[in-house]
Amino acid sequence: MKLDEDVHFSTLCIHAGQEPDPSTGAIITPILQTSTYVQDALGQHKGYEYARTQNPTRTALEANLAAIEVGRGAFAFASGMAAIAAVASFLQSGDHVVVTDNTYGGTFRLFERVLRRYGLEFTYVDTSQLDRVESALTRTTKMLFVETPTNPVMSLTDLAAIAELAHRHGVKLIVDNTFASPAIQRPIELGADMVLHSTTKYLNGHSDSVGGVVIARSEEDLEWLRFYQNSAGAILSPFDSWLVLRGTKTLAIRMTTHSANGLALAEYLATNRKVRKVFYPGLPAHPQHALAKRQMKGFGGMLSFDLGSLEAARRLLNSVRLMALAESLGGVESLISHPATMTHASVPAERRAAIGITDGLVRISAGIEDIEDLRADLDQALERV
């Protein structure tokens, strides 16, 4: 099959990077579970030599993800954190990075506890405020590392504006697009140099695989990522690559329901007297609602709300029946979590307080269950708060 250049997003998700298997006609990309490849003669092979370097299943996934994020190419890694480490490999000792202050706790841990040991410097700022970003830039700044929406307080960064700022100063813009997915926003179209995902989340969508990916727009960046992936070896397995390929086929339709359920739950929580504040860009009360409408196609399935105290949050979290109390996000099932003690436990308490991660904050990854059942579950849990 041949895809036209102007094919639409849902079609790309299903077909990009994949052809029927030439030996059998199988429409689904097979799992090539092999460590090496037989050569026809010395120096003559079929494009594959060793499975750390290349694997056909992983190659198909990388082509698929590059297409749906409108990048020139992509490289898949063993986890989202491995993908972030790959992006960090562009840096050298003495380089400086400006990072979204409300970044994922694992990202903060990698930057602060590991990479600072190698002479890298990091400054955390509210990247929704461009003047603060520009003030944080120094002569050694080489990278802007942005999350939007942020985890878990759902702050947004104007990607087109920050891309212009970054490039005016000769700085690479990296966007962690995990929370939105390419169905909701495509940062490369807005000027980002590289986009990364934890494929564990929305791209896989079924809570049965761990992985990461980096998508780049320039051939120079892709050349380094290709070299780094082979050198460091933190590759995504053939089976995990197959699982994510299965996931992207339904990404567009899943994200429609995730977004509808996320909005419905946010609206419901905003009317409950026990909830102090709801964080969701689809609500008109969100301070960046206008930017969300302009930059995003839908508002996603992630939302947070503040119950005012750790005890109130504990009662709710221990009372849900349908929602699962668990780390992670982006699966077809709804997950609920407590950022202060789960996803952001590695962030110091004073820093959590400064960026709005209170002890009463609860985060929901809205799944694709019937919305009436999700509302009913929250309703009975809130009665116990």
Side-chain angles (χ1 to χ4, degrees), residues 274 307 311-313 315-317 319 380-385:
K274 294 180 181 179
L307 289 170
E311 182 56 32
R315 288 181 183 175
L316 180 125
L317 292 165
S319 298
Q380 65 82 24
L382 283 164
E383 288 178 1
R384 291 162 171 78
V385 173

Side-chain angles (χ1 to χ4, degrees), residues 23-240:
S23 61
T24 66
I27 196 167
I28 298 298
T29 301
I31 305 168
L32 274 298
Q33 194 70 44
T34 186
S35 61
T36 193
Y37 308 87
V38 175
Q39 300 190 12
D40 297 329
L42 186 62
Q44 296 178 22
H45 54 76
K46 297 177 175 64
Y48 295 91
E49 301 168 81
Y50 186 60
R52 184 188 70 247
T53 309
Q54 315 108 331
N55 175 275
T57 316
R58 193 176 80 230
T59 297
L61 173 65
E62 290 169 341
N64 180 264
L65 297 180
I68 65 178
E69 275 286 15
V70 294
R72 188 182 294 268
F75 292 90
F77 295 90
S79 69
M81 292 311 304
I84 294 173
V87 166
S89 73
F90 282 85
L91 302 166
Q92 299 181 27
S93 181
D95 286 349
H96 173 247
V97 184
V98 176
V99 186
T100 300
D101 57 357
N102 177 212
T103 197
Y104 167 54
T107 304
F108 181 83
R109 179 174 56 226
L110 175 68
F111 289 174
E112 291 299 307
R113 300 289 298 278
V114 179
L115 297 183
R116 277 194 186 271
R117 299 177 63 191
Y118 299 95
L120 298 177
E121 296 293 331
F122 300 91
T123 299
Y124 301 87
V125 301
D126 180 355
T127 52
S128 70
Q129 305 297 317
L130 292 183
D131 56 338
R132 296 184 187 180
V133 175
E134 189 157 26
S135 296
L137 299 176
T138 72
R139 60 180 180 80
T140 62
T141 305
K142 295 296 189 294
M143 188 177 288
L144 279 176
F145 188 96
V146 170
E147 287 184 35
T148 180
T150 62
N151 178 11
V153 300
M154 308 303 293
S155 176
L156 306 184
T157 295
D158 186 326
L159 289 173
I162 204 167
E164 190 280 328
L165 172 65
H167 298 151
R168 180 159 34 93
H169 289 272
V171 174
K172 286 185 184 296
L173 174 62
I174 317 300
V175 178
D176 185 337
N177 200 29
T178 299
F179 250 41
S181 90
I184 299 292
Q185 67 184 12
R186 288 182 284 281
I188 287 176
E189 288 185 328
L190 297 171
D193 297 289
M194 283 179 271
V195 175
L196 64 88
H197 290 266
S198 168
T199 61
T200 313
K201 313 306 193 297
Y202 284 117
L203 293 177
N204 169 260
H206 294 78
S207 301
D208 55 11
S209 169
V210 171
V213 68
V214 183
I215 303 103
R217 67 189 304 172
S218 83
E219 191 58 44
E220 181 182 6
D221 288 344
L222 290 170
E223 279 301 313
W224 175 256
L225 287 168
R226 182 176 295 109
F227 176 80
Y228 175 85
Q229 185 193 54
N230 186 48
S231 300
I235 54 169
L236 193 65
S237 74
F239 184 46
D240 284 298

Side-chain angles (χ1 to χ4, degrees), residues 179 201-202 205-207 250-266 280 299-303 322-324 326 328-337 363-375 377-378:
F179 250 41
K201 313 306 193 297
Y202 284 117
H206 294 78
S207 301
T250 59
L251 177 64
I253 194 167
R254 282 189 289 108
M255 291 309 300
T256 298
T257 305
H258 284 303
S259 293
N261 283 354
L263 178 59
L265 291 181
Y280 186 72
F299 304 109
M302 299 304 302
L303 63 145
L322 178 60
M323 295 186 184
S328 200
L329 60 102
V332 293
E333 60 287 303
S334 292
L335 302 179
I336 194 165
S337 65
R363 190 190 78 180
I364 291 176
S365 171
I368 62 171
E369 301 96 339
D370 190 287
I371 187 57
E372 294 302 326
D373 296 324
L374 294 176
R375 266 196 296 250
D377 190 33
L378 277 181

Side-chain angles (χ1 to χ4, degrees), residues 149 154 156 259 262-264 266-267 278-293 296 298-300 302-303:
M154 308 303 293
L156 306 184
S259 293
L263 178 59
E267 290 173 338
V278 179
F279 302 85
Y280 186 72
L283 293 178
H286 189 286
Q288 296 162 298
H289 180 63
L291 173 61
K293 289 196 295 182
M296 302 168 72
F299 304 109
M302 299 304 302
L303 63 145

